[in-house]
Amino acid sequence: MTTPTTTGFRPVLLLTGGYAVLSVLTLGAIVLLRNDHALVTDAVWVRATLVAASSLLTFAFARGAARGSRKGLLRLRIVAAVMLVAIAVVVALPGLFPAWLRIEQAGCGLLLLAVTVLVNGRRARAR
């Protein structure tokens, strides 16, 4: 069921859904590669688990915001901005994570950057 609110939030829902899918797929890849300790470190496990959980919350907040929830929009704005900063730190710090995870995180960061821009724009605030 779509309403004018959900229709206007479609790009945000697609971006947060993409972020969730990418994060969950990354966690799945980590499970498959768990025996390669050069690619999958303890830090990778922790980071990927936190990112996957936060991506699912981000998508849930986006759905709430799309339905007109002010709290959902506020939560979405906060979580997207905080995760964007955390991802920027992960991507910028050399040696903490393997290159493949930093590349994946850069992709997540681009998705969240778009979400952050959209949910902090005039149109989103007007709703």
Side-chain angles (χ1 to χ4, degrees):
M1 173 182 207
T2 61
T3 65
T5 305
T6 57
T7 302
F9 245 78
R10 187 169 178 77
V12 173
L13 290 169
L14 290 171
L15 289 164
T16 56
Y19 170 49
V21 168
L22 180 57
S23 299
V24 170
L25 287 175
T26 299
L27 193 56
I30 289 168
V31 169
L32 293 174
L33 298 170
R34 68 185 173 273
N35 294 324
D36 187 339
H37 300 292
L39 293 177
V40 180
T41 64
D42 289 342
V44 168
W45 275 105
V46 171
R47 178 71 191 162
T49 302
L50 291 174
V51 170
S54 74
S55 71
L56 296 173
L57 282 174
T58 303
F59 183 67
F61 296 153
R63 286 181 51 116
R67 289 189 198 114
S69 168
R70 287 183 182 204
K71 286 185 180 183
L73 179 59
L74 177 62
R75 290 176 181 141
L76 176 61
R77 292 171 75 189
I78 292 169
V79 170
V82 168
M83 287 306 296
L84 179 58
V85 170
I87 287 171
V89 170
V90 166
V91 171
L93 290 177
L96 185 58
F97 295 99
W100 73 268
L101 185 69
R102 291 172 58 209
I103 292 167
E104 180 271 345
Q105 287 290 279
C108 288
L110 290 173
L111 293 170
L112 284 178
L113 176 61
V115 169
T116 302
V117 168
L118 289 172
V119 298
N120 287 295
R122 278 186 230 171
R123 293 177 85 191
R125 287 194 309 257
R127 286 192 196 107

